[in-house]
Amino acid sequence: MIRSSISLAAAALVLGGCVGMSRSETVSPLSDNWARSGRIETIALTKGDIKVTPEFDEIFKSRVKSKLDACAKGPTPLTLEVALDRLDKANPVLTTVVAGANVLRGQARLVNPATGAVVADYKIGKTIVGGRFAIVVMGQAEEQLSDAFGDELCKQAFLPTEK
């Protein structure tokens, strides 16, 4: 698995594109009933000691909500509580010469707003590696990582793999 991830990342870098790697895990899965009937109504965001732009909260919430609106289409509202503890942006100079990585780590808890009960809990981790020809995309780290967080939560909670 690690060897194939490294090979994939190397191939993307040679071609100048980007490749994403997941380090996510399920702490407590969303039940099938919630996965079918749930939708995200509200996003509450807290951040650890991470360096972001003043616009980050709005960027993150709108991009994550947009991604989740595409996969969580049920009638029952859920609150997404996000606690971010790491956001690293690629160094533009290093990215143009060799490669760079944008990294996001955090926790996503889905909460039933009617009861306050946590109905699912996930650790979300995304790393996006890009080469010199991907500098424009890599430079939009906050947008890129917000989209990746939403995609990853969709995949983990609302689009479970067949058993």
Side-chain angles (χ1 to χ4, degrees), residues 26-39 76 78 110 112 118-122 156-160 163:
T26 300
V27 176
S28 173
L30 191 63
S31 72
D32 288 342
N33 184 48
W34 275 110
R36 281 190 305 276
S37 68
R39 69 175 163 75
T76 310
L78 287 168
L110 298 171
N112 178 347
V118 174
V119 296
D121 191 358
Y122 301 90
Q156 295 292 323
F158 295 100
L159 302 173
K163 296 179 184 175

Side-chain angles (χ1 to χ4, degrees), residues 1 18 27 39 45 65 78 83 92 96 105 134 139 159 163:
M1 170 92 172
C18 296
V27 176
R39 69 175 163 75
L45 175 64
K65 179 90 167 71
L78 287 168
T96 59
R105 303 278 184 272
L159 302 173
K163 296 179 184 175

Side-chain angles (χ1 to χ4, degrees), residues 16-149:
C18 296
V19 64
M21 294 176 278
S22 173
R23 295 190 57 182
S24 300
E25 66 181 80
T26 300
V27 176
S28 173
L30 191 63
S31 72
D32 288 342
N33 184 48
W34 275 110
R36 281 190 305 276
S37 68
R39 69 175 163 75
I40 304 303
E41 184 171 272
T42 307
I43 298 175
L45 175 64
T46 58
K47 302 177 296 287
D49 187 23
I50 60 176
K51 293 181 178 152
V52 293
T53 64
E55 300 82 21
F56 176 74
D57 287 19
E58 184 56 38
I59 290 168
F60 183 86
K61 288 178 182 180
S62 68
R63 287 190 173 269
V64 170
K65 179 90 167 71
S66 176
K67 293 292 183 174
L68 291 169
D69 283 350
C71 69
K73 301 178 181 182
T76 310
L78 287 168
T79 298
L80 170 60
E81 293 179 352
V82 177
L84 297 179
D85 53 29
R86 181 176 176 194
L87 190 146
D88 299 332
K89 300 175 189 178
N91 179 311
V93 174
L94 199 55
T95 301
T96 59
V97 176
V98 184
N102 292 328
V103 179
L104 179 70
R105 303 278 184 272
Q107 179 181 22
R109 294 175 2 138
L110 298 171
V111 177
N112 178 347
T115 65
V118 174
V119 296
D121 191 358
Y122 301 90
K123 289 184 181 179
I124 303 293
K126 287 298 289 186
T127 300
I128 300 171
V129 180
R132 65 182 178 183
F133 297 112
I135 186 66
V136 173
V137 176
M138 294 299 289
Q140 298 175 341
E142 292 180 354
E143 293 84 356
Q144 183 187 60
L145 291 170
S146 297
D147 286 343
F149 190 97

